[in-house]
Amino acid sequence: RRLYCGDVSYSPAYEYGYKYGGLLLLGFCGFIHKISKEKKADKLLFFSRDGYIVKRIYDKLYPEANTEYVYWSRNAAAKLGADLFRDNFLRRFVSQKINHGISVYDVMRSIGITDWTFPFSLNEELTMKNCTVVEQFLIQNWGKLMENYKDMDTAAQYYFQEVLNGCKNVITVDCGWAGSGNILLEQIVNRKWNMDCKFTGVLAGSNSYNQHDTDFSETFLLDGRLQVYCFSSGLNRDKFMAHMPSANHNIYFELLFSAPEPSFQEFRRCGDTYELVFDSTAENELYIREIQKGEVDFISEYIRTFNKYPYMRNISGSDAYTPFMDAMKHSKKYIDKVFAECVFDETTNGKKVRIK
């Protein structure tokens, strides 16, 4: 009735947020609160950018909670954790970019070493033919690369010393998928910086069955260091099997969680303090603001409608994900057209492309 009564005309992006994001975010916030109480967390960290709207809603629902919006990214995590997890670094910056139309120069630019001397051409596209040579070069120069990240590591340590001041047990919140943001941060904080803090990562969805590294997080799911709301290999298995990254499901799911701000790139040292480095533009800002208006309006109306029935806030992950799954069944007829002008950095390489 709200969307189609004729009194007000809403944008397709607003409808997308209202129909598919509102219930999901409301249920997810309830799940986060439940895990936070179970773990007796002393602080909740909402990772940028997927935690932007989640924190905004969570703070309204649970104003007494100790929360903070934290700047963190997959690329920053891979670089700062490279000396602990070399395979993850090589997978993130090389393996996952093979045959994506990305030049070797773009790979080196994302790593931050374009000023080095290379024994191969930077103008070629990264393919199966040259990826081994690129990887071997990085491995042979690993010590130099780690030295290159030393100031970044110090800057990040300054930042997280402020964020984690007085904390011994925190919850991190992210959209998905492998939970590497939480996993790597925990290892960096405790093994590199010796800060002694326990982490539990809360995700909306895990890696699906239809991903190359679907089992990346299994041990963390089993021991409870990762908690998933919508689906994982052991939860709502029909959703786990149906979610298809190759059909852009990850991208459209992340749109429901994104932020109207530029992507965070890395930490930069400035003497005894730090600077946060961001992308130059905030992609899809107008779409995201409309999506979030729809999500916030749905949640406000839902809470007002069921104010006398608190059990209606017990929204299962299956119920929260199902509207999105239904939308994806018709994405070619509807969703792809709505977001035809949106751009996405699917390989986290800085190369933004439209949905094909």
Side-chain angles (χ1 to χ4, degrees), residues 319-343:
D319 285 345
Y321 179 84
T322 294
F324 174 81
M325 186 169 66
D326 288 341
M328 291 303 101
K329 292 176 182 177
H330 307 286
S331 61
K332 295 300 178 185
K333 295 181 179 179
Y334 165 48
I335 304 296
D336 285 1
K337 294 179 181 179
V338 171
F339 299 111
E341 298 301 315
C342 287
V343 295

PDB file of all heavy atoms in Angstrom, residues 319-343:
ATOM      1  N   ASP A 319      14.098 -15.902   6.746  1.00  0.00           N
ATOM      2  CA  ASP A 319      13.035 -14.968   6.370  1.00  0.00           C
ATOM      3  C   ASP A 319      13.614 -13.651   5.851  1.00  0.00           C
ATOM      4  O   ASP A 319      13.078 -13.047   4.916  1.00  0.00           O
ATOM      5  CB  ASP A 319      12.129 -14.680   7.566  1.00  0.00           C
ATOM      6  CG  ASP A 319      11.186 -15.835   7.869  1.00  0.00           C
ATOM      7  OD1 ASP A 319      11.040 -16.719   7.010  1.00  0.00           O
ATOM      8  OD2 ASP A 319      10.593 -15.850   8.962  1.00  0.00           O
ATOM      9  N   ALA A 320      14.703 -13.194   6.464  1.00  0.00           N
ATOM     10  CA  ALA A 320      15.296 -11.918   6.068  1.00  0.00           C
ATOM     11  C   ALA A 320      15.908 -11.978   4.678  1.00  0.00           C
ATOM     12  O   ALA A 320      15.878 -10.997   3.925  1.00  0.00           O
ATOM     13  CB  ALA A 320      16.357 -11.507   7.089  1.00  0.00           C
ATOM     14  N   TYR A 321      16.465 -13.130   4.314  1.00  0.00           N
ATOM     15  CA  TYR A 321      17.137 -13.277   3.022  1.00  0.00           C
ATOM     16  C   TYR A 321      16.169 -13.604   1.887  1.00  0.00           C
ATOM     17  O   TYR A 321      16.428 -13.257   0.725  1.00  0.00           O
ATOM     18  CB  TYR A 321      18.197 -14.381   3.112  1.00  0.00           C
ATOM     19  CG  TYR A 321      18.939 -14.624   1.819  1.00  0.00           C
ATOM     20  CD1 TYR A 321      20.028 -13.847   1.458  1.00  0.00           C
ATOM     21  CD2 TYR A 321      18.545 -15.639   0.945  1.00  0.00           C
ATOM     22  CE1 TYR A 321      20.717 -14.070   0.276  1.00  0.00           C
ATOM     23  CE2 TYR A 321      19.214 -15.871  -0.244  1.00  0.00           C
ATOM     24  CZ  TYR A 321      20.298 -15.087  -0.572  1.00  0.00           C
ATOM     25  OH  TYR A 321      20.977 -15.302  -1.754  1.00  0.00           O
ATOM     26  N   THR A 322      15.039 -14.248   2.182  1.00  0.00           N
ATOM     27  CA  THR A 322      14.132 -14.750   1.150  1.00  0.00           C
ATOM     28  C   THR A 322      13.636 -13.681   0.175  1.00  0.00           C
ATOM     29  O   THR A 322      13.607 -13.924  -1.042  1.00  0.00           O
ATOM     30  CB  THR A 322      12.948 -15.486   1.798  1.00  0.00           C
ATOM     31  OG1 THR A 322      13.446 -16.657   2.452  1.00  0.00           O
ATOM     32  CG2 THR A 322      11.921 -15.904   0.766  1.00  0.00           C
ATOM     33  N   PRO A 323      13.241 -12.472   0.628  1.00  0.00           N
ATOM     34  CA  PRO A 323      12.827 -11.464  -0.365  1.00  0.00           C
ATOM     35  C   PRO A 323      13.937 -11.138  -1.359  1.00  0.00           C
ATOM     36  O   PRO A 323      13.676 -10.988  -2.554  1.00  0.00           O
ATOM     37  CB  PRO A 323      12.489 -10.248   0.502  1.00  0.00           C
ATOM     38  CG  PRO A 323      12.102 -10.827   1.825  1.00  0.00           C
ATOM     39  CD  PRO A 323      13.013 -12.008   2.006  1.00  0.00           C
ATOM     40  N   PHE A 324      15.173 -11.053  -0.868  1.00  0.00           N
ATOM     41  CA  PHE A 324      16.297 -10.787  -1.766  1.00  0.00           C
ATOM     42  C   PHE A 324      16.461 -11.921  -2.768  1.00  0.00           C
ATOM     43  O   PHE A 324      16.673 -11.684  -3.964  1.00  0.00           O
ATOM     44  CB  PHE A 324      17.583 -10.602  -0.959  1.00  0.00           C
ATOM     45  CG  PHE A 324      18.814 -10.476  -1.803  1.00  0.00           C
ATOM     46  CD1 PHE A 324      19.157  -9.270  -2.387  1.00  0.00           C
ATOM     47  CD2 PHE A 324      19.631 -11.578  -2.037  1.00  0.00           C
ATOM     48  CE1 PHE A 324      20.289  -9.153  -3.185  1.00  0.00           C
ATOM     49  CE2 PHE A 324      20.766 -11.475  -2.833  1.00  0.00           C
ATOM     50  CZ  PHE A 324      21.097 -10.263  -3.399  1.00  0.00           C
ATOM     51  N   MET A 325      16.365 -13.161  -2.300  1.00  0.00           N
ATOM     52  CA  MET A 325      16.504 -14.304  -3.192  1.00  0.00           C
ATOM     53  C   MET A 325      15.440 -14.288  -4.284  1.00  0.00           C
ATOM     54  O   MET A 325      15.715 -14.599  -5.452  1.00  0.00           O
ATOM     55  CB  MET A 325      16.430 -15.611  -2.399  1.00  0.00           C
ATOM     56  CG  MET A 325      16.699 -16.856  -3.227  1.00  0.00           C
ATOM     57  SD  MET A 325      16.910 -18.354  -2.228  1.00  0.00           S
ATOM     58  CE  MET A 325      15.253 -18.507  -1.545  1.00  0.00           C
ATOM     59  N   ASP A 326      14.216 -13.911  -3.913  1.00  0.00           N
ATOM     60  CA  ASP A 326      13.150 -13.816  -4.911  1.00  0.00           C
ATOM     61  C   ASP A 326      13.458 -12.733  -5.947  1.00  0.00           C
ATOM     62  O   ASP A 326      13.181 -12.899  -7.139  1.00  0.00           O
ATOM     63  CB  ASP A 326      11.813 -13.515  -4.225  1.00  0.00           C
ATOM     64  CG  ASP A 326      11.275 -14.717  -3.467  1.00  0.00           C
ATOM     65  OD1 ASP A 326      11.727 -15.841  -3.755  1.00  0.00           O
ATOM     66  OD2 ASP A 326      10.409 -14.530  -2.596  1.00  0.00           O
ATOM     67  N   ALA A 327      14.013 -11.612  -5.488  1.00  0.00           N
ATOM     68  CA  ALA A 327      14.366 -10.535  -6.416  1.00  0.00           C
ATOM     69  C   ALA A 327      15.426 -11.001  -7.408  1.00  0.00           C
ATOM     70  O   ALA A 327      15.381 -10.654  -8.597  1.00  0.00           O
ATOM     71  CB  ALA A 327      14.868  -9.317  -5.644  1.00  0.00           C
ATOM     72  N   MET A 328      16.385 -11.783  -6.941  1.00  0.00           N
ATOM     73  CA  MET A 328      17.459 -12.246  -7.810  1.00  0.00           C
ATOM     74  C   MET A 328      16.957 -13.211  -8.882  1.00  0.00           C
ATOM     75  O   MET A 328      17.561 -13.339  -9.946  1.00  0.00           O
ATOM     76  CB  MET A 328      18.557 -12.920  -6.990  1.00  0.00           C
ATOM     77  CG  MET A 328      19.341 -11.966  -6.097  1.00  0.00           C
ATOM     78  SD  MET A 328      20.126 -10.586  -6.984  1.00  0.00           S
ATOM     79  CE  MET A 328      18.960  -9.238  -6.636  1.00  0.00           C
ATOM     80  N   LYS A 329      15.837 -13.895  -8.632  1.00  0.00           N
ATOM     81  CA  LYS A 329      15.269 -14.786  -9.639  1.00  0.00           C
ATOM     82  C   LYS A 329      14.809 -14.005 -10.869  1.00  0.00           C
ATOM     83  O   LYS A 329      14.707 -14.559 -11.967  1.00  0.00           O
ATOM     84  CB  LYS A 329      14.091 -15.558  -9.056  1.00  0.00           C
ATOM     85  CG  LYS A 329      14.481 -16.565  -7.977  1.00  0.00           C
ATOM     86  CD  LYS A 329      13.245 -17.225  -7.387  1.00  0.00           C
ATOM     87  CE  LYS A 329      13.619 -18.202  -6.279  1.00  0.00           C
ATOM     88  NZ  LYS A 329      12.409 -18.805  -5.642  1.00  0.00           N
ATOM     89  N   HIS A 330      14.530 -12.727 -10.676  1.00  0.00           N
ATOM     90  CA  HIS A 330      14.026 -11.876 -11.761  1.00  0.00           C
ATOM     91  C   HIS A 330      14.986 -10.719 -12.042  1.00  0.00           C
ATOM     92  O   HIS A 330      14.572  -9.688 -12.564  1.00  0.00           O
ATOM     93  CB  HIS A 330      12.643 -11.333 -11.414  1.00  0.00           C
ATOM     94  CG  HIS A 330      11.653 -12.386 -11.029  1.00  0.00           C
ATOM     95  ND1 HIS A 330      11.073 -13.231 -11.949  1.00  0.00           N
ATOM     96  CD2 HIS A 330      11.173 -12.771  -9.814  1.00  0.00           C
ATOM     97  CE1 HIS A 330      10.263 -14.070 -11.328  1.00  0.00           C
ATOM     98  NE2 HIS A 330      10.311 -13.820 -10.030  1.00  0.00           N
ATOM     99  N   SER A 331      16.249 -10.891 -11.690  1.00  0.00           N
ATOM    100  CA  SER A 331      17.197  -9.778 -11.796  1.00  0.00           C
ATOM    101  C   SER A 331      17.363  -9.286 -13.227  1.00  0.00           C
ATOM    102  O   SER A 331      17.530  -8.083 -13.460  1.00  0.00           O
ATOM    103  CB  SER A 331      18.555 -10.172 -11.216  1.00  0.00           C
ATOM    104  OG  SER A 331      19.108 -11.264 -11.929  1.00  0.00           O
ATOM    105  N   LYS A 332      17.307 -10.175 -14.197  1.00  0.00           N
ATOM    106  CA  LYS A 332      17.502  -9.759 -15.590  1.00  0.00           C
ATOM    107  C   LYS A 332      16.365  -8.866 -16.078  1.00  0.00           C
ATOM    108  O   LYS A 332      16.557  -8.000 -16.929  1.00  0.00           O
ATOM    109  CB  LYS A 332      17.621 -10.987 -16.492  1.00  0.00           C
ATOM    110  CG  LYS A 332      18.852 -11.839 -16.231  1.00  0.00           C
ATOM    111  CD  LYS A 332      20.131 -11.052 -16.434  1.00  0.00           C
ATOM    112  CE  LYS A 332      21.359 -11.893 -16.132  1.00  0.00           C
ATOM    113  NZ  LYS A 332      22.608 -11.093 -16.202  1.00  0.00           N
ATOM    114  N   LYS A 333      15.166  -9.086 -15.537  1.00  0.00           N
ATOM    115  CA  LYS A 333      14.011  -8.291 -15.958  1.00  0.00           C
ATOM    116  C   LYS A 333      13.865  -6.998 -15.151  1.00  0.00           C
ATOM    117  O   LYS A 333      13.236  -6.052 -15.608  1.00  0.00           O
ATOM    118  CB  LYS A 333      12.730  -9.118 -15.801  1.00  0.00           C
ATOM    119  CG  LYS A 333      12.648 -10.332 -16.705  1.00  0.00           C
ATOM    120  CD  LYS A 333      11.331 -11.062 -16.499  1.00  0.00           C
ATOM    121  CE  LYS A 333      11.212 -12.277 -17.407  1.00  0.00           C
ATOM    122  NZ  LYS A 333       9.937 -13.016 -17.202  1.00  0.00           N
ATOM    123  N   TYR A 334      14.431  -6.981 -13.949  1.00  0.00           N
ATOM    124  CA  TYR A 334      14.134  -5.871 -13.047  1.00  0.00           C
ATOM    125  C   TYR A 334      15.400  -5.217 -12.492  1.00  0.00           C
ATOM    126  O   TYR A 334      15.731  -4.080 -12.828  1.00  0.00           O
ATOM    127  CB  TYR A 334      13.236  -6.381 -11.917  1.00  0.00           C
ATOM    128  CG  TYR A 334      13.106  -5.479 -10.709  1.00  0.00           C
ATOM    129  CD1 TYR A 334      12.840  -4.122 -10.841  1.00  0.00           C
ATOM    130  CD2 TYR A 334      13.246  -5.988  -9.422  1.00  0.00           C
ATOM    131  CE1 TYR A 334      12.724  -3.298  -9.737  1.00  0.00           C
ATOM    132  CE2 TYR A 334      13.116  -5.178  -8.308  1.00  0.00           C
ATOM    133  CZ  TYR A 334      12.861  -3.833  -8.478  1.00  0.00           C
ATOM    134  OH  TYR A 334      12.753  -3.025  -7.382  1.00  0.00           O
ATOM    135  N   ILE A 335      16.158  -5.955 -11.685  1.00  0.00           N
ATOM    136  CA  ILE A 335      17.257  -5.362 -10.932  1.00  0.00           C
ATOM    137  C   ILE A 335      18.351  -4.830 -11.844  1.00  0.00           C
ATOM    138  O   ILE A 335      18.859  -3.720 -11.633  1.00  0.00           O
ATOM    139  CB  ILE A 335      17.847  -6.387  -9.937  1.00  0.00           C
ATOM    140  CG1 ILE A 335      16.762  -6.935  -9.015  1.00  0.00           C
ATOM    141  CG2 ILE A 335      18.966  -5.751  -9.122  1.00  0.00           C
ATOM    142  CD1 ILE A 335      16.123  -5.912  -8.120  1.00  0.00           C
ATOM    143  N   ASP A 336      18.727  -5.600 -12.867  1.00  0.00           N
ATOM    144  CA  ASP A 336      19.788  -5.152 -13.764  1.00  0.00           C
ATOM    145  C   ASP A 336      19.442  -3.821 -14.422  1.00  0.00           C
ATOM    146  O   ASP A 336      20.319  -2.978 -14.640  1.00  0.00           O
ATOM    147  CB  ASP A 336      20.037  -6.200 -14.856  1.00  0.00           C
ATOM    148  CG  ASP A 336      20.795  -7.406 -14.331  1.00  0.00           C
ATOM    149  OD1 ASP A 336      21.108  -7.429 -13.126  1.00  0.00           O
ATOM    150  OD2 ASP A 336      21.067  -8.334 -15.107  1.00  0.00           O
ATOM    151  N   LYS A 337      18.169  -3.624 -14.728  1.00  0.00           N
ATOM    152  CA  LYS A 337      17.744  -2.376 -15.366  1.00  0.00           C
ATOM    153  C   LYS A 337      17.744  -1.210 -14.378  1.00  0.00           C
ATOM    154  O   LYS A 337      18.115  -0.094 -14.721  1.00  0.00           O
ATOM    155  CB  LYS A 337      16.358  -2.556 -15.976  1.00  0.00           C
ATOM    156  CG  LYS A 337      16.332  -3.543 -17.131  1.00  0.00           C
ATOM    157  CD  LYS A 337      14.921  -3.716 -17.688  1.00  0.00           C
ATOM    158  CE  LYS A 337      14.911  -4.733 -18.827  1.00  0.00           C
ATOM    159  NZ  LYS A 337      13.543  -4.949 -19.370  1.00  0.00           N
ATOM    160  N   VAL A 338      17.331  -1.480 -13.146  1.00  0.00           N
ATOM    161  CA  VAL A 338      17.306  -0.432 -12.122  1.00  0.00           C
ATOM    162  C   VAL A 338      18.705   0.122 -11.884  1.00  0.00           C
ATOM    163  O   VAL A 338      18.904   1.335 -11.760  1.00  0.00           O
ATOM    164  CB  VAL A 338      16.717  -0.972 -10.801  1.00  0.00           C
ATOM    165  CG1 VAL A 338      16.888   0.046  -9.673  1.00  0.00           C
ATOM    166  CG2 VAL A 338      15.244  -1.316 -10.981  1.00  0.00           C
ATOM    167  N   PHE A 339      19.700  -0.771 -11.843  1.00  0.00           N
ATOM    168  CA  PHE A 339      21.052  -0.354 -11.488  1.00  0.00           C
ATOM    169  C   PHE A 339      22.007  -0.399 -12.672  1.00  0.00           C
ATOM    170  O   PHE A 339      23.210  -0.592 -12.502  1.00  0.00           O
ATOM    171  CB  PHE A 339      21.570  -1.231 -10.342  1.00  0.00           C
ATOM    172  CG  PHE A 339      20.730  -1.115  -9.097  1.00  0.00           C
ATOM    173  CD1 PHE A 339      19.952  -2.179  -8.670  1.00  0.00           C
ATOM    174  CD2 PHE A 339      20.682   0.068  -8.374  1.00  0.00           C
ATOM    175  CE1 PHE A 339      19.174  -2.079  -7.531  1.00  0.00           C
ATOM    176  CE2 PHE A 339      19.906   0.182  -7.240  1.00  0.00           C
ATOM    177  CZ  PHE A 339      19.139  -0.887  -6.811  1.00  0.00           C
ATOM    178  N   ALA A 340      21.469  -0.196 -13.860  1.00  0.00           N
ATOM    179  CA  ALA A 340      22.270  -0.277 -15.083  1.00  0.00           C
ATOM    180  C   ALA A 340      23.393   0.759 -15.116  1.00  0.00           C
ATOM    181  O   ALA A 340      24.439   0.539 -15.737  1.00  0.00           O
ATOM    182  CB  ALA A 340      21.375  -0.104 -16.306  1.00  0.00           C
ATOM    183  N   GLU A 341      23.195   1.906 -14.456  1.00  0.00           N
ATOM    184  CA  GLU A 341      24.198   2.972 -14.467  1.00  0.00           C
ATOM    185  C   GLU A 341      25.163   2.903 -13.291  1.00  0.00           C
ATOM    186  O   GLU A 341      26.087   3.715 -13.196  1.00  0.00           O
ATOM    187  CB  GLU A 341      23.500   4.344 -14.470  1.00  0.00           C
ATOM    188  CG  GLU A 341      22.627   4.596 -15.693  1.00  0.00           C
ATOM    189  CD  GLU A 341      23.428   4.508 -16.986  1.00  0.00           C
ATOM    190  OE1 GLU A 341      24.537   5.088 -17.024  1.00  0.00           O
ATOM    191  OE2 GLU A 341      22.960   3.855 -17.931  1.00  0.00           O
ATOM    192  N   CYS A 342      24.951   1.961 -12.378  1.00  0.00           N
ATOM    193  CA  CYS A 342      25.838   1.832 -11.222  1.00  0.00           C
ATOM    194  C   CYS A 342      27.160   1.201 -11.635  1.00  0.00           C
ATOM    195  O   CYS A 342      27.225   0.402 -12.571  1.00  0.00           O
ATOM    196  CB  CYS A 342      25.183   0.977 -10.142  1.00  0.00           C
ATOM    197  SG  CYS A 342      23.844   1.804  -9.259  1.00  0.00           S
ATOM    198  N   VAL A 343      28.218   1.554 -10.923  1.00  0.00           N
ATOM    199  CA  VAL A 343      29.531   0.979 -11.179  1.00  0.00           C
ATOM    200  C   VAL A 343      30.008   0.227  -9.943  1.00  0.00           C
ATOM    201  O   VAL A 343      29.651   0.585  -8.814  1.00  0.00           O
ATOM    202  CB  VAL A 343      30.564   2.057 -11.573  1.00  0.00           C
ATOM    203  CG1 VAL A 343      30.185   2.693 -12.892  1.00  0.00           C
ATOM    204  CG2 VAL A 343      30.698   3.113 -10.487  1.00  0.00           C
TER     205      VAL A 343
END
